[in-house]
Amino acid sequence: MIITFFASVQYIFYRGVPDSVSTFQFLCITAVIGFILLIFIFKRELFRIDGRHIFQCFVLALESFAFNVLLILGSKDMDSTTISSVISAYFVFIPIIEYILYKTLPKLNIIIAIVLVFIGIPLIIGLKLENFQNRRLIFLLLADLTIALNIITIGKFAKGSNPAILGMGQLFFIIIISFISWAIECKIYNKAMILPTEPTFWGSVIFIGCFIRGFYTVVQTYAQRYVEPVDAALIFSSEIIMTLLFSGFVYTFLFNEPYSETITTSKIIGVALMLTGILTSQIDFKEILVDHKKEQK
C-alpha cells in the first residue's frame, strides 16, 4: 500500500516531461538514479549474485522496459485519473495470461470482477468513441498487458531469489537497453545526446528515479515473495483511490498551478465499479456456500 501511493502520483510527474525529451532518455536517466540509490543501500548483496539471478534480472528488465516505454508514451497529455484507472485494470489480464500459460481457470469472483472493471473503465475515460481511438489509450492498454506479465514473472522469480539483487540487476539491464535505444534514436534522427535543462524534467526525474525505479522496484519484489500475483495486482489497483485523493493537492503544491482535471459523476461511478470489482475478486463464493451449508446443518 505504501508503494501504491507513490505509483498513484507518478503520473503527474510524467506530465512534467517535455515532448522534446526522448522516452528512452527519460527511462535511462531515471533508471540510473534508482540504480545508484539501490547500490548505496544494498551493495553487500551483490556478492550473492549468480547466473540464475542474472537471467531473471534480464527477463524482468525486458518486461519492465516495455511497460515503462508504453506508460511514458501513453501518459503524455492525459489526465492522471484516466491514466491511473486504465493502468489499475491490469489485474484483469493476469487470469487470462495465467490460463494461457498454466491452463488455470479463473474463479467466479474473478470473472465478476473483470466484468465490473470493464464497465467502469469506459465511464472513467468517457463514453465518446474518439476517446477509445486515442493512441495514448492504446499505449496504456498495451502497458497493462506487459505489467500483468511482469507481475506474474516477479511472483515466480521472487520466491527463490534475493529481492535486492533482482531490483538492482533489473535496473542495470534497463540502463543498458534504454541507453542503446536512446543512442540509436539519436543516430537515426541526427540528434545530440544532451541532457535537458527544464526544471520540470529534473523534478520528474528525481521523483521517478528514487521512488518508482528504486524504492518501488525492491519493495514490490520483496512483497511478492508472499503475495499471489492476482492479489498483488488488486492491491496495486487501489492506486486509483489515492490518485483521486492526492493528485490535485500534489500537482498544485509542486507546480503552483490550478489543477485542471475535472472529477465528474461518470468518473466517480466508474471508480466505484472498479473498486466493487476489486473487492468482489477477494470474495470466495465457494467458501461462503460451504459455510452456509454448515450453518444450516
Side-chain angles (χ1 to χ4, degrees):
M1 290 301 295
I2 292 173
I3 61 176
T4 299
F5 166 75
F6 292 111
S8 69
V9 298
Q10 68 173 310
Y11 310 115
I12 295 173
F13 291 89
Y14 282 121
R15 293 175 68 179
V17 181
D19 291 332
S20 58
V21 175
S22 164
T23 299
F24 303 122
Q25 178 188 30
F26 182 79
L27 183 54
C28 180
I29 297 172
T30 53
V32 168
I33 292 175
F35 180 72
I36 292 173
L37 178 65
L38 295 188
I39 285 289
F40 180 76
I41 299 173
F42 299 110
K43 54 182 177 293
R44 293 183 179 179
E45 300 296 325
L46 287 175
F47 295 103
R48 302 180 182 181
I49 195 170
D50 55 26
R52 176 172 56 89
H53 278 113
I54 293 173
F55 170 76
Q56 291 176 344
C57 290
F58 182 70
V59 172
L60 292 175
L62 289 176
E63 294 173 344
S64 184
F65 174 79
F67 167 70
N68 282 288
V69 168
L70 292 167
L71 176 60
I72 295 169
L73 291 173
S75 297
K76 293 179 180 179
D77 303 322
M78 291 190 72
D79 63 75
S80 56
T81 301
T82 299
I83 299 168
S84 181
S85 300
V86 177
I87 293 298
S88 295
Y90 56 73
F91 84 88
V92 169
F93 296 99
I94 289 181
I96 298 172
I97 295 174
E98 287 187 326
Y99 175 73
I100 293 173
L101 295 178
Y102 310 112
K103 304 302 179 184
T104 303
L105 288 172
K107 296 180 181 178
L108 176 62
N109 57 328
I110 299 297
I111 295 174
I112 295 174
I114 290 173
V115 172
L116 290 172
V117 169
F118 270 122
I119 296 173
I121 289 176
L123 292 173
I124 296 169
I125 298 172
L127 296 174
K128 295 180 180 179
L129 182 61
E130 56 266 26
N131 289 345
F132 294 91
Q133 297 173 334
N134 190 325
R135 184 164 53 95
R136 304 293 189 193
L137 179 60
I138 295 173
F139 286 140
L140 292 178
L141 290 174
L142 290 174
D144 276 341
L145 280 171
T146 56
I147 192 60
L149 180 61
N150 183 249
I151 287 176
I152 293 172
T153 307
I154 289 176
K156 296 295 181 183
F157 289 168
K159 292 179 180 178
S161 301
N162 187 310
I165 292 176
L166 289 182
M168 288 184 287
Q170 182 181 166
L171 288 176
F172 175 77
F173 283 117
I174 288 175
I175 292 170
I176 294 175
I177 297 170
S178 56
F179 182 82
I180 293 173
S181 301
W182 178 24
I184 293 173
E185 182 183 46
C186 289
K187 183 69 174 178
I188 292 174
Y189 294 102
N190 196 25
K191 294 181 179 179
M193 297 181 68
I194 57 175
L195 297 178
T197 57
E198 292 94 334
T200 55
F201 169 81
W202 287 105
S204 299
V205 160
I206 292 171
F207 178 87
I208 299 296
C210 292
F211 294 105
I212 302 301
R213 304 286 182 263
F215 182 66
Y216 190 106
T217 299
V218 170
V219 173
Q220 178 190 1
T221 307
Y222 177 80
Q224 281 199 238
R225 300 173 79 179
Y226 311 101
V227 182
E228 292 300 317
V230 173
D231 293 328
L234 291 168
I235 294 171
F236 297 151
S237 295
S238 64
E239 71 183 51
I240 181 58
I241 306 173
M242 297 187 184
T243 300
L244 287 171
L245 291 176
F246 298 110
S247 58
F249 169 78
V250 173
Y251 183 85
T252 304
F253 175 76
L254 288 174
F255 300 105
N256 196 27
E257 298 175 2
Y259 191 54
S260 58
E261 183 179 338
T262 303
I263 306 300
T264 62
T265 303
S266 174
K267 286 185 178 182
I268 294 173
I269 294 173
V271 170
L273 284 170
M274 284 193 66
L275 293 178
T276 304
I278 292 170
L279 294 174
T280 302
S281 67
Q282 295 297 287
I283 300 173
D284 191 333
F285 293 112
K286 185 177 180 180
E287 184 178 343
I288 292 175
L289 184 60
V290 170
D291 291 341
H292 179 66
K293 288 182 179 178
K294 287 181 179 179
E295 288 177 2
Q296 286 183 330
K297 290 181 180 179

